[in-house]
Amino acid sequence: MQVSERRIVVLGCGGTIAGRAASASDNLGYRAGELGVEELIAHVPVPEGSTLAAEQVANIDSKDLGLAQWCALSQRCAHWLAQTEVAGIVITHGTDTLEETAFFLHAVLAPVKPVVLTGAMRPATSAAADGPQNIADALSVAASPLAQGVCVVLAGTVHGAIEVQKVHSYRADAFGSGDAGPLAYVEEGRLRVLRAWPQGPALRSAGSLPDPDAWPRVEIVMSHAGAGSALVRALVKDGVAGIVVAATGNGTVHEALEGALLAAQEQGVAVRRASRCAQGRVLPQPGDRLPGADGLSPVKARIALMLELMQ
């Protein structure tokens, strides 16, 4: 009996992995989003028993990513995940906001099939480009029966969408999973699983997302020594729907900033406290007046609050 091949769909979004510089020695002065996804996968080995399909969803520097790109990407993911012959999806993406896109897709798709985001810290023209190996590893994860749900693969490490953070500005091994640790490692095309893949219901269906112009506006402010109230007051006056505060330590907030946030909350603005620390979470205490962010980083808490306010 002939066994049908698994189909892996590669969705291109741009980023450094698709970047081009004038010199192979230049890893900084490049333009992101120059190469198409077809070029990126042209010479990457395909996992045995798999075939590839490619689609360009966007081709931008991920620092410029917006709600419109998130909506389009989630809808294309939902389309391909519904195809029975598709075993998984790989998304090539810039690293600057990769953790945000991963969490967003986790929140609106909650897929059983693997959706694997990858990127690169060096442009495609670099003498030591890391993109091809990252794509090869991502394809291996997408083809593996051990993988499920949304994850991030870089430098041979598989990170969960909830925990993954960019923790270094330059080195190739730039991502971490905090105190939760990685999900798995990719070793010569094989997946070595370390812990259970996170699963959970979607906070909002990708197909029911409103037009990006109708999304509730949620902003992030940071608590620090000498923090004041002016920024929060300006945001409230400007009609913000929610505010996430990147608090110090275990969710502590400068008294002036806290006063402004409490006043905003009384005026109907949704407020959440996340920690600006790279590891750990805000532990709740009796009498907390500002709700915590359920262990999410500030940027992910912003996404969760936007989706919550859509309900």
Side-chain angles (χ1 to χ4, degrees):
M1 182 177 67
Q2 184 177 5
V3 179
S4 60
E5 292 183 315
R6 300 177 298 256
R7 191 179 193 191
I8 301 172
V9 178
V10 185
L11 303 179
C13 292
T16 298
I17 196 170
R20 194 197 310 267
S23 168
S25 62
D26 189 354
N27 292 321
L28 296 176
Y30 60 87
R31 288 181 60 89
E34 290 283 293
L35 304 181
V37 65
E38 295 276 6
E39 293 177 86
L40 296 183
I41 65 173
H43 303 294
V44 175
V46 180
E48 185 177 355
S50 301
T51 60
L52 301 185
E55 180 181 323
Q56 197 78 47
V57 178
N59 209 358
I60 62 173
D61 190 323
S62 75
K63 69 177 177 58
D64 297 322
L65 197 72
L67 305 182
Q69 287 82 22
W70 274 350
C71 286
L73 180 59
S74 65
Q75 289 163 7
R76 296 313 297 159
C77 285
H79 166 80
W80 286 113
L81 290 169
Q83 311 303 312
T84 56
E85 74 276 11
V86 172
I89 294 174
V90 168
I91 300 169
T92 59
H93 194 287
T95 59
D96 283 347
T97 57
L98 189 148
E99 65 199 73
E100 296 174 60
T101 298
F103 179 76
F104 171 74
L105 293 178
H106 170 82
V108 302
L109 295 173
V112 174
K113 296 176 181 179
V115 175
V116 188
L117 290 90
T118 193
M121 294 299 293
R122 302 178 187 127
T125 50
S126 172
D130 53 329
Q133 185 62 58
N134 286 340
I135 294 174
D137 288 344
L139 292 172
S140 296
V141 175
S144 173
L146 300 175
Q148 55 182 321
V150 182
C151 63
V152 170
V153 176
L154 283 105
T157 306
V158 185
H159 304 279
I162 297 174
E163 301 89 8
V164 66
Q165 291 188 48
K166 188 173 183 179
V167 296
H168 201 278
S169 61
Y170 177 75
R171 71 186 185 205
D173 185 12
F175 283 76
S177 292
D179 46 18
L183 294 175
Y185 294 115
V186 185
E187 299 168 336
E188 298 300 316
R190 294 185 178 182
L191 198 58
R192 176 160 64 93
V193 177
L194 303 177
R195 62 183 177 93
W197 237 263
Q199 292 293 299
L203 299 179
R204 177 98 186 193
S205 168
S208 67
L209 292 171
D211 184 89
D213 292 336
W215 283 38
R217 180 180 166 207
V218 177
E219 300 287 354
I220 300 171
V221 299
M222 180 179 285
S223 185
H224 53 84
S229 62
L231 181 56
V232 170
R233 288 189 282 107
L235 288 173
V236 173
K237 184 177 180 181
D238 201 39
V240 73
I243 298 174
V244 174
V245 55
T248 47
N250 184 37
T252 56
V253 181
H254 187 284
E255 58 182 358
L257 180 59
E258 183 180 43
L261 290 168
L262 288 169
Q265 190 170 249
E266 290 175 1
Q267 294 175 63
V269 177
V271 179
R272 297 291 182 271
R273 279 181 309 133
S275 178
R276 71 184 204 185
C277 296
Q279 297 191 33
R281 57 191 295 136
V282 175
L283 301 176
Q285 300 183 67
D288 281 343
R289 294 188 292 173
L290 295 173
D294 295 326
L296 296 174
S297 68
V299 293
K300 293 178 183 177
R302 172 180 173 264
I303 296 167
L305 185 53
M306 282 194 295
L307 295 173
E308 178 186 329
L309 292 173
M310 288 182 196
Q311 303 299 329

